[in-house]
Short mmCIF file of all heavy atoms in Angstrom, two decimals:
data_model
loop_
_atom_site.label_atom_id
_atom_site.label_comp_id
_atom_site.label_asym_id
_atom_site.label_seq_id
_atom_site.Cartn_x
_atom_site.Cartn_y
_atom_site.Cartn_z
N PRO S 1041 5.24 2.93 -19.75
CA PRO S 1041 6.62 3.11 -20.19
C PRO S 1041 7.53 3.74 -19.14
O PRO S 1041 8.66 3.32 -18.96
CB PRO S 1041 6.47 4.02 -21.41
CG PRO S 1041 5.12 3.69 -21.94
CD PRO S 1041 4.27 3.44 -20.73
N GLU S 1042 7.01 4.76 -18.40
CA GLU S 1042 7.87 5.43 -17.45
C GLU S 1042 8.16 4.60 -16.22
O GLU S 1042 8.95 4.99 -15.37
CB GLU S 1042 7.25 6.77 -17.02
CG GLU S 1042 5.94 6.66 -16.26
CD GLU S 1042 4.74 6.74 -17.18
OE1 GLU S 1042 4.91 6.43 -18.38
OE2 GLU S 1042 3.66 7.12 -16.72
N GLU S 1043 7.54 3.44 -16.10
CA GLU S 1043 7.76 2.61 -14.94
C GLU S 1043 8.69 1.43 -15.26
O GLU S 1043 8.82 0.51 -14.47
CB GLU S 1043 6.41 2.09 -14.42
CG GLU S 1043 5.49 3.20 -13.97
CD GLU S 1043 4.05 2.79 -13.91
OE1 GLU S 1043 3.73 1.65 -14.29
OE2 GLU S 1043 3.24 3.63 -13.49
N GLN S 1044 9.35 1.48 -16.37
CA GLN S 1044 10.18 0.37 -16.79
C GLN S 1044 11.61 0.44 -16.27
O GLN S 1044 12.28 -0.57 -16.16
CB GLN S 1044 10.24 0.31 -18.33
CG GLN S 1044 8.89 0.04 -18.98
CD GLN S 1044 8.35 -1.33 -18.62
OE1 GLN S 1044 9.10 -2.27 -18.50
NE2 GLN S 1044 7.06 -1.43 -18.45
N GLU S 1045 12.09 1.65 -15.96
CA GLU S 1045 13.48 1.79 -15.60
C GLU S 1045 13.73 1.30 -14.18
O GLU S 1045 12.85 1.34 -13.33
CB GLU S 1045 13.88 3.27 -15.72
CG GLU S 1045 13.69 3.78 -17.14
CD GLU S 1045 13.99 5.25 -17.22
OE1 GLU S 1045 14.79 5.73 -16.41
OE2 GLU S 1045 13.42 5.91 -18.09
N THR S 1046 14.93 0.83 -13.94
CA THR S 1046 15.25 0.31 -12.62
C THR S 1046 16.04 1.31 -11.81
O THR S 1046 16.84 2.05 -12.33
CB THR S 1046 16.06 -0.99 -12.72
OG1 THR S 1046 17.23 -0.75 -13.51
CG2 THR S 1046 15.24 -2.08 -13.39
N HIS S 1047 15.79 1.30 -10.52
CA HIS S 1047 16.49 2.19 -9.61
C HIS S 1047 17.62 1.39 -8.98
O HIS S 1047 17.40 0.54 -8.15
CB HIS S 1047 15.52 2.68 -8.53
CG HIS S 1047 16.16 3.54 -7.51
ND1 HIS S 1047 17.04 4.54 -7.82
CD2 HIS S 1047 16.06 3.53 -6.17
CE1 HIS S 1047 17.43 5.12 -6.72
NE2 HIS S 1047 16.86 4.51 -5.70
N LYS S 1048 18.86 1.64 -9.40
CA LYS S 1048 19.99 0.84 -8.96
C LYS S 1048 20.74 1.56 -7.85
O LYS S 1048 21.38 2.58 -8.08
CB LYS S 1048 20.91 0.56 -10.14
CG LYS S 1048 20.22 -0.21 -11.27
CD LYS S 1048 21.15 -0.41 -12.46
CE LYS S 1048 20.43 -1.16 -13.58
NZ LYS S 1048 21.29 -1.34 -14.77
N VAL S 1049 20.63 1.05 -6.65
CA VAL S 1049 21.33 1.62 -5.51
C VAL S 1049 21.92 0.50 -4.68
O VAL S 1049 21.51 -0.65 -4.77
CB VAL S 1049 20.38 2.46 -4.62
CG1 VAL S 1049 19.86 3.66 -5.37
CG2 VAL S 1049 19.22 1.61 -4.14
N MET S 1050 22.91 0.84 -3.88
CA MET S 1050 23.48 -0.13 -2.98
C MET S 1050 22.43 -0.53 -1.95
O MET S 1050 21.81 0.32 -1.33
CB MET S 1050 24.69 0.48 -2.26
CG MET S 1050 25.42 -0.49 -1.35
SD MET S 1050 26.68 0.37 -0.36
CE MET S 1050 27.56 1.23 -1.66
N VAL S 1051 22.22 -1.82 -1.76
CA VAL S 1051 21.20 -2.27 -0.83
C VAL S 1051 21.72 -2.12 0.60
O VAL S 1051 22.73 -2.67 0.98
CB VAL S 1051 20.82 -3.74 -1.09
CG1 VAL S 1051 19.85 -4.23 -0.03
CG2 VAL S 1051 20.20 -3.87 -2.47
N GLN S 1052 21.01 -1.34 1.38
CA GLN S 1052 21.31 -1.17 2.78
C GLN S 1052 20.00 -1.18 3.55
O GLN S 1052 18.92 -1.08 2.98
CB GLN S 1052 22.04 0.14 3.04
CG GLN S 1052 23.44 0.20 2.40
CD GLN S 1052 24.19 1.44 2.82
OE1 GLN S 1052 23.81 2.12 3.76
NE2 GLN S 1052 25.26 1.73 2.12
N ASP S 1053 20.11 -1.32 4.87
CA ASP S 1053 18.92 -1.31 5.70
C ASP S 1053 18.67 0.11 6.17
O ASP S 1053 19.21 0.55 7.19
CB ASP S 1053 19.12 -2.26 6.89
CG ASP S 1053 17.86 -2.42 7.72
OD1 ASP S 1053 16.80 -1.96 7.26
OD2 ASP S 1053 17.94 -2.99 8.82
N TYR S 1054 17.87 0.86 5.41
CA TYR S 1054 17.59 2.25 5.75
C TYR S 1054 16.46 2.27 6.78
O TYR S 1054 15.29 2.40 6.44
CB TYR S 1054 17.20 3.04 4.50
CG TYR S 1054 17.19 4.53 4.72
CD1 TYR S 1054 18.34 5.28 4.53
CD2 TYR S 1054 16.04 5.18 5.14
CE1 TYR S 1054 18.34 6.66 4.74
CE2 TYR S 1054 16.03 6.55 5.35
CZ TYR S 1054 17.18 7.29 5.15
OH TYR S 1054 17.18 8.64 5.36
N SER S 1055 16.82 2.06 8.02
CA SER S 1055 15.82 2.03 9.07
C SER S 1055 16.35 2.75 10.29
O SER S 1055 17.53 3.10 10.38
CB SER S 1055 15.47 0.58 9.42
OG SER S 1055 16.62 -0.13 9.82
N ILE S 1056 15.48 2.99 11.25
CA ILE S 1056 15.81 3.71 12.46
C ILE S 1056 16.05 2.71 13.59
O ILE S 1056 15.28 1.76 13.74
CB ILE S 1056 14.68 4.67 12.83
CG1 ILE S 1056 14.35 5.60 11.65
CG2 ILE S 1056 15.03 5.50 14.06
CD1 ILE S 1056 15.50 6.44 11.17
N PRO S 1057 17.09 2.89 14.39
CA PRO S 1057 17.32 1.97 15.51
C PRO S 1057 16.10 1.84 16.41
O PRO S 1057 15.42 2.83 16.69
CB PRO S 1057 18.49 2.62 16.25
CG PRO S 1057 19.22 3.39 15.21
CD PRO S 1057 18.15 3.91 14.29
N GLU S 1058 15.82 0.62 16.83
CA GLU S 1058 14.63 0.36 17.63
C GLU S 1058 14.58 1.19 18.90
O GLU S 1058 13.53 1.68 19.31
CB GLU S 1058 14.57 -1.13 17.98
CG GLU S 1058 13.32 -1.53 18.75
CD GLU S 1058 13.27 -3.01 19.07
OE1 GLU S 1058 14.18 -3.74 18.62
OE2 GLU S 1058 12.33 -3.44 19.76
N SER S 1059 15.75 1.40 19.52
CA SER S 1059 15.79 2.18 20.76
C SER S 1059 15.37 3.63 20.52
O SER S 1059 14.72 4.25 21.37
CB SER S 1059 17.19 2.13 21.37
OG SER S 1059 18.16 2.66 20.47
N TRP S 1060 15.76 4.18 19.35
CA TRP S 1060 15.37 5.54 19.00
C TRP S 1060 13.86 5.64 18.83
O TRP S 1060 13.22 6.59 19.29
CB TRP S 1060 16.06 5.99 17.72
CG TRP S 1060 17.53 6.16 17.82
CD1 TRP S 1060 18.35 5.71 18.83
CD2 TRP S 1060 18.36 6.81 16.88
NE1 TRP S 1060 19.65 6.05 18.56
CE2 TRP S 1060 19.70 6.72 17.37
CE3 TRP S 1060 18.14 7.45 15.67
CZ2 TRP S 1060 20.78 7.26 16.68
CZ3 TRP S 1060 19.21 7.99 14.98
CH2 TRP S 1060 20.52 7.89 15.49
N VAL S 1061 13.29 4.67 18.12
CA VAL S 1061 11.85 4.66 17.88
C VAL S 1061 11.09 4.59 19.19
O VAL S 1061 10.15 5.36 19.44
CB VAL S 1061 11.46 3.48 16.97
CG1 VAL S 1061 9.94 3.38 16.86
CG2 VAL S 1061 12.08 3.64 15.59
N LYS S 1062 11.50 3.69 20.07
CA LYS S 1062 10.81 3.53 21.35
C LYS S 1062 10.84 4.82 22.16
O LYS S 1062 9.83 5.21 22.76
CB LYS S 1062 11.44 2.39 22.15
CG LYS S 1062 11.11 1.00 21.61
CD LYS S 1062 11.70 -0.09 22.50
CE LYS S 1062 11.30 -1.47 22.00
NZ LYS S 1062 11.87 -2.55 22.86
N LYS S 1063 11.99 5.49 22.15
CA LYS S 1063 12.10 6.73 22.91
C LYS S 1063 11.19 7.81 22.34
O LYS S 1063 10.49 8.51 23.09
CB LYS S 1063 13.55 7.20 22.91
CG LYS S 1063 13.82 8.43 23.75
CD LYS S 1063 15.29 8.78 23.77
CE LYS S 1063 15.55 10.01 24.64
NZ LYS S 1063 17.00 10.36 24.69
N ARG S 1064 11.19 7.95 21.04
CA ARG S 1064 10.37 9.00 20.42
C ARG S 1064 8.89 8.70 20.58
O ARG S 1064 8.09 9.61 20.86
CB ARG S 1064 10.73 9.12 18.94
CG ARG S 1064 10.03 10.27 18.22
CD ARG S 1064 10.77 10.60 16.95
NE ARG S 1064 10.05 11.55 16.13
CZ ARG S 1064 10.52 12.07 15.00
NH1 ARG S 1064 11.72 11.74 14.57
NH2 ARG S 1064 9.80 12.92 14.28
N VAL S 1065 8.50 7.44 20.43
CA VAL S 1065 7.10 7.05 20.58
C VAL S 1065 6.66 7.26 22.02
O VAL S 1065 5.55 7.74 22.28
CB VAL S 1065 6.89 5.59 20.14
CG1 VAL S 1065 5.48 5.11 20.51
CG2 VAL S 1065 7.12 5.45 18.65
N SER S 1066 7.52 6.91 22.97
CA SER S 1066 7.19 7.09 24.38
C SER S 1066 6.95 8.56 24.72
O SER S 1066 6.00 8.90 25.44
CB SER S 1066 8.33 6.53 25.24
OG SER S 1066 8.06 6.74 26.62
N LYS S 1067 7.80 9.43 24.19
CA LYS S 1067 7.63 10.86 24.44
C LYS S 1067 6.33 11.37 23.84
O LYS S 1067 5.62 12.18 24.46
CB LYS S 1067 8.82 11.63 23.86
CG LYS S 1067 10.10 11.51 24.66
CD LYS S 1067 11.18 12.41 24.07
CE LYS S 1067 12.44 12.38 24.91
NZ LYS S 1067 13.51 13.26 24.35
N ALA S 1068 6.01 10.91 22.63
CA ALA S 1068 4.78 11.35 21.98
C ALA S 1068 3.56 10.88 22.76
O ALA S 1068 2.59 11.63 22.96
CB ALA S 1068 4.73 10.81 20.55
N LYS S 1069 3.59 9.64 23.21
CA LYS S 1069 2.45 9.10 23.97
C LYS S 1069 2.25 9.87 25.27
O LYS S 1069 1.12 10.21 25.64
CB LYS S 1069 2.69 7.62 24.27
CG LYS S 1069 1.53 6.95 24.99
CD LYS S 1069 1.79 5.47 25.21
CE LYS S 1069 0.59 4.81 25.91
NZ LYS S 1069 0.83 3.36 26.12
N GLU S 1070 3.36 10.16 25.95
CA GLU S 1070 3.27 10.92 27.19
C GLU S 1070 2.70 12.32 26.95
O GLU S 1070 1.83 12.80 27.69
CB GLU S 1070 4.65 11.02 27.84
CG GLU S 1070 4.65 11.80 29.15
CD GLU S 1070 6.03 11.91 29.75
OE1 GLU S 1070 7.01 11.43 29.11
OE2 GLU S 1070 6.16 12.48 30.86
N ARG S 1071 3.19 12.97 25.91
CA ARG S 1071 2.74 14.32 25.60
C ARG S 1071 1.26 14.34 25.25
O ARG S 1071 0.51 15.20 25.72
CB ARG S 1071 3.58 14.89 24.45
CG ARG S 1071 3.30 16.32 24.09
CD ARG S 1071 4.39 16.90 23.21
NE ARG S 1071 4.62 16.13 22.01
CZ ARG S 1071 5.72 15.43 21.77
NH1 ARG S 1071 6.70 15.38 22.66
NH2 ARG S 1071 5.86 14.75 20.64
N MET S 1072 0.81 13.40 24.43
CA MET S 1072 -0.58 13.38 24.00
C MET S 1072 -1.52 12.92 25.10
O MET S 1072 -2.71 13.26 25.09
CB MET S 1072 -0.73 12.49 22.76
CG MET S 1072 -0.05 13.08 21.55
SD MET S 1072 -0.31 12.12 20.06
CE MET S 1072 0.68 13.08 18.92
N GLY S 1073 -1.00 12.16 26.05
CA GLY S 1073 -1.85 11.68 27.13
C GLY S 1073 -2.23 12.75 28.12
O GLY S 1073 -3.04 12.50 29.03
N LYS S 1074 -1.69 13.95 27.95
CA LYS S 1074 -1.98 15.03 28.89
C LYS S 1074 -3.25 15.81 28.58
O LYS S 1074 -3.65 16.70 29.34
CB LYS S 1074 -0.78 15.99 28.94
CG LYS S 1074 0.49 15.34 29.49
CD LYS S 1074 1.65 16.32 29.49
CE LYS S 1074 2.92 15.67 30.06
NZ LYS S 1074 4.08 16.61 30.05
N SER S 1075 -3.86 15.53 27.43
CA SER S 1075 -5.09 16.25 27.08
C SER S 1075 -6.08 15.32 26.40
O SER S 1075 -5.69 14.30 25.83
CB SER S 1075 -4.78 17.43 26.15
OG SER S 1075 -4.38 16.96 24.87
N ASP S 1076 -7.36 15.66 26.46
CA ASP S 1076 -8.38 14.85 25.79
C ASP S 1076 -8.18 14.86 24.29
O ASP S 1076 -8.36 13.83 23.63
CB ASP S 1076 -9.78 15.38 26.14
CG ASP S 1076 -10.16 15.13 27.60
OD1 ASP S 1076 -9.55 14.21 28.21
OD2 ASP S 1076 -11.04 15.85 28.11
N ALA S 1077 -7.79 16.01 23.75
CA ALA S 1077 -7.55 16.09 22.31
C ALA S 1077 -6.37 15.20 21.93
O ALA S 1077 -6.42 14.48 20.92
CB ALA S 1077 -7.26 17.53 21.91
N GLY S 1078 -5.31 15.23 22.73
CA GLY S 1078 -4.16 14.39 22.46
C GLY S 1078 -4.48 12.91 22.53
O GLY S 1078 -3.99 12.11 21.72
N LYS S 1079 -5.34 12.52 23.46
CA LYS S 1079 -5.73 11.12 23.59
C LYS S 1079 -6.48 10.64 22.35
O LYS S 1079 -6.33 9.49 21.92
CB LYS S 1079 -6.58 10.94 24.84
CG LYS S 1079 -5.81 11.11 26.13
CD LYS S 1079 -6.73 11.05 27.35
CE LYS S 1079 -5.94 11.29 28.64
NZ LYS S 1079 -6.84 11.30 29.83
N ILE S 1080 -7.28 11.53 21.77
CA ILE S 1080 -8.01 11.17 20.55
C ILE S 1080 -7.05 10.98 19.38
O ILE S 1080 -7.16 10.02 18.61
CB ILE S 1080 -9.06 12.25 20.23
CG1 ILE S 1080 -10.20 12.17 21.25
CG2 ILE S 1080 -9.60 12.09 18.81
CD1 ILE S 1080 -11.19 13.30 21.15
N VAL S 1081 -6.07 11.88 19.25
CA VAL S 1081 -5.10 11.75 18.16
C VAL S 1081 -4.26 10.49 18.36
O VAL S 1081 -3.97 9.77 17.40
CB VAL S 1081 -4.21 13.01 18.08
CG1 VAL S 1081 -3.09 12.81 17.07
CG2 VAL S 1081 -5.04 14.23 17.69
N TRP S 1082 -3.87 10.21 19.59
CA TRP S 1082 -3.10 9.00 19.87
C TRP S 1082 -3.91 7.75 19.52
O TRP S 1082 -3.37 6.81 18.92
CB TRP S 1082 -2.67 8.95 21.33
CG TRP S 1082 -1.87 7.73 21.65
CD1 TRP S 1082 -2.30 6.59 22.26
CD2 TRP S 1082 -0.50 7.50 21.31
NE1 TRP S 1082 -1.29 5.67 22.34
CE2 TRP S 1082 -0.17 6.20 21.76
CE3 TRP S 1082 0.48 8.27 20.68
CZ2 TRP S 1082 1.11 5.65 21.59
CZ3 TRP S 1082 1.75 7.72 20.51
CH2 TRP S 1082 2.04 6.43 20.96
N ALA S 1083 -5.20 7.74 19.88
CA ALA S 1083 -6.06 6.60 19.54
C ALA S 1083 -6.14 6.45 18.03
O ALA S 1083 -6.20 5.32 17.50
CB ALA S 1083 -7.45 6.80 20.14
N GLY S 1084 -6.13 7.58 17.31
CA GLY S 1084 -6.14 7.53 15.86
C GLY S 1084 -4.86 6.90 15.33
O GLY S 1084 -4.88 6.10 14.39
N MET S 1085 -3.72 7.28 15.90
CA MET S 1085 -2.45 6.69 15.49
C MET S 1085 -2.45 5.18 15.71
O MET S 1085 -2.02 4.40 14.85
CB MET S 1085 -1.30 7.32 16.27
CG MET S 1085 -1.01 8.77 15.91
SD MET S 1085 0.39 9.41 16.87
CE MET S 1085 0.49 11.09 16.24
N GLU S 1086 -2.95 4.77 16.85
CA GLU S 1086 -3.02 3.35 17.15
C GLU S 1086 -3.94 2.62 16.17
O GLU S 1086 -3.61 1.53 15.69
CB GLU S 1086 -3.52 3.14 18.59
CG GLU S 1086 -2.53 3.57 19.66
CD GLU S 1086 -1.32 2.66 19.73
OE1 GLU S 1086 -1.46 1.55 20.28
OE2 GLU S 1086 -0.25 3.04 19.19
N ALA S 1087 -5.08 3.22 15.86
CA ALA S 1087 -6.03 2.60 14.93
C ALA S 1087 -5.44 2.47 13.53
O ALA S 1087 -5.77 1.53 12.79
CB ALA S 1087 -7.32 3.42 14.89
#
């Protein structure tokens, strides 16, 4: 019953610009690549 109601909102593309994502991902990859522990976490993200 509680799943019957509809969520009515204006349809928009709630997403992040691709250039922003690439920049943030690049920074994270660089930061994690500096340590063995970071490389493991990055490999986990990729997996």
Side-chain angles (χ1 to χ4, degrees):
E1042 64 268 24
E1043 298 160 356
Q1044 297 296 324
E1045 300 176 28
T1046 56
H1047 177 44
K1048 299 177 181 178
V1049 295
M1050 184 188 308
V1051 175
Q1052 294 187 15
D1053 186 11
Y1054 193 88
S1055 58
I1056 305 302
E1058 184 179 356
S1059 60
W1060 293 14
V1061 173
K1062 287 184 177 180
K1063 184 176 181 179
R1064 185 161 172 176
V1065 171
S1066 177
K1067 285 185 176 180
K1069 183 178 181 179
E1070 180 181 3
R1071 184 165 56 248
M1072 292 185 182
K1074 296 179 179 179
S1075 69
D1076 290 339
K1079 291 175 182 177
I1080 289 172
V1081 173
W1082 180 259
M1085 291 181 179
E1086 290 291 283

